[in-house]
Amino acid sequence: MLDRTAATSPAYIVDAADPQHLRRAIADVTLGFSRWRLASALAWLDLRNRYRGSVLGPFWLTLSTAAMLLGLGLLYAALFKMSLAEYLPHLAVSLVIWNAIAQMVNEATTSLTSSEGIIRQMPLPYTVHALRCVMRNGLVAAHNLPLIGVVFLACGHLPGPEALLAIPGFILIGINAFAAALLLGMICARFRDIGPIVASVMQLAFFLTPILWKPRLLGHWEALMPLNPFYAVLETVRGPLVEGGGPLIAWVAAVIYTVLLVVIAAAFFIRFRGRVAFWV
C-alpha cells in the first residue's frame, strides 16, 4: 500500500539555519577534480570550435608569437644595447609565459558566464568550469612552448640542472590559474563591469612587469620588483630557464601571493557558491 507520507515528503531537506557552505564547497571541488576528463574534453572541444575551418588552428598564435619575438627582439636589443644571444632567451621565456598568464586571467573573468547554459540546466560542479578554462588555456600555451627551445638553440643558450625548478614554477602558475578562474569567474558573474577593468589592468601590468626589459635596468629600484605579483610568478619559470634559478625573494613572494589568492578564492567560493546559478 502506498505510504502517503512518503509520497508527499520533499525530495531533499534544506535547513536555512545550517546551509553547510563549507561541506558543499568541498564536495564541489572534490567532485569537480574527479571529473577532470570531462573538463579536458570540454576544453578540447572549445579549441576545435574556436579554430573551426582554420588550416593551422592554434599554431596561428605560435606564428604570431614568433613574429613578435623576432621584431621586438631586434628592436629592444638595439635600444638596450644588448646582443641578441643575451636578450632573446629572456624575451622568449617572458613573452610566452606572460601570454599564457594574461590569456588565463582575461578568460577567467568569463569562466562561469560562458557556461551559463550548462550551469542552469545541469547540476555540474562549478569546479569543472574552472578546470575547463585552465586546461583550454594550457593547451593553447603548449603550442608556444616549443618557441623557447628554438630560441635557446639559435642563441646557444643551454640551461643547467636548475632548469628543473621551472616545474614547480609551472605548478604555481596552474594553481593561481585555477584560483583566479573560480574567484574572477564568480565576481564577474555578479559584476559584469569587472571584466573590462581586469583587461585594462593586464595591459598596464604588461609594461610594469619586466618582460620587454630586464629588472637590473631599474638599478636600486630592482629590490621592489617582488611587490609585483606578476613578476614573482613569472620569475619562478624564467629564473630557472634563463637566470640560473632566479632570486629566492621572488620564489618566496610567489608562494605568498599564491597562498593569498587561494585563500581569498576559497573564502569567496564557500560563501557565495550557492548564488552562482542566479548570477550567471
Side-chain angles (χ1 to χ4, degrees):
M1 187 174 180
L2 181 62
D3 186 353
R4 293 177 177 270
T5 303
T8 58
S9 61
Y12 56 90
I13 299 175
V14 178
D15 185 0
D18 184 21
Q20 299 183 338
H21 292 307
L22 178 60
R23 183 182 66 82
R24 295 178 184 275
I26 294 176
D28 187 298
V29 174
T30 303
L31 184 58
F33 274 96
S34 68
R35 297 183 178 180
W36 63 270
R37 291 182 180 84
L38 173 60
S40 62
L42 291 173
W44 183 252
L45 181 62
D46 288 340
L47 282 184
R48 291 186 61 183
N49 291 334
R50 180 180 298 180
Y51 296 102
R52 179 180 298 172
S54 173
V55 177
L56 296 180
F59 286 104
W60 278 115
L61 182 61
T62 305
L63 293 177
S64 174
T65 305
M68 287 188 64
L69 277 174
L70 182 60
L72 294 177
L74 292 173
L75 173 63
Y76 282 91
L79 289 176
F80 297 143
K81 295 179 173 55
M82 298 180 185
S83 65
L84 279 177
E86 176 188 2
Y87 180 67
L88 271 184
H90 165 87
L91 180 63
V93 178
S94 302
L95 199 58
V96 169
I97 302 303
W98 172 260
N99 285 343
I101 293 175
Q103 187 70 17
M104 180 63 239
V105 172
N106 287 326
E107 292 199 9
T109 60
T110 59
S111 62
L112 295 179
T113 54
S114 61
S115 302
E116 173 186 353
I118 299 177
I119 291 175
R120 292 186 176 182
Q121 297 179 31
M122 299 178 60
L124 200 64
Y126 299 131
T127 305
V128 170
H129 305 299
L131 285 175
R132 174 185 183 180
C133 183
V134 173
M135 291 181 176
R136 179 175 65 245
N137 287 277
L139 289 172
V140 174
H143 289 80
N144 287 333
L145 288 178
L147 288 176
I148 296 177
V150 172
V151 171
F152 282 5
L153 288 175
C155 296
H157 177 77
L158 182 63
E162 65 276 1
L164 294 175
L165 291 174
I167 297 177
F170 281 115
I171 294 175
L172 281 178
I173 292 177
I175 295 174
N176 280 280
F178 174 74
L182 275 183
L183 180 61
L184 291 178
M186 295 181 67
I187 293 177
C188 293
R190 178 63 181 87
F191 304 102
R192 303 301 172 96
D193 293 333
I194 301 298
I197 294 175
V198 171
S200 299
V201 170
M202 294 306 296
Q203 290 180 354
L204 178 61
F206 174 78
F207 296 101
L208 297 180
T209 305
I211 299 168
L212 301 178
W213 45 277
K214 291 194 172 185
R216 69 166 184 260
L217 295 176
L218 292 178
H220 64 279
W221 294 103
E222 181 182 355
L224 299 178
M225 285 308 305
L227 296 178
N228 182 344
F230 296 107
Y231 160 79
V233 175
L234 177 65
E235 195 65 23
T236 60
V237 176
R238 182 177 61 194
L241 294 178
V242 181
E243 306 295 341
L248 178 60
I249 185 64
W251 282 91
V252 174
V255 172
I256 291 176
Y257 291 134
T258 302
V259 171
L260 286 176
L261 180 59
V262 169
V263 169
I264 295 172
F268 201 89
F269 187 64
I270 291 171
R271 180 64 182 85
F272 298 107
R273 176 190 168 278
R275 304 183 186 181
V276 172
F278 302 98
W279 289 348
V280 297

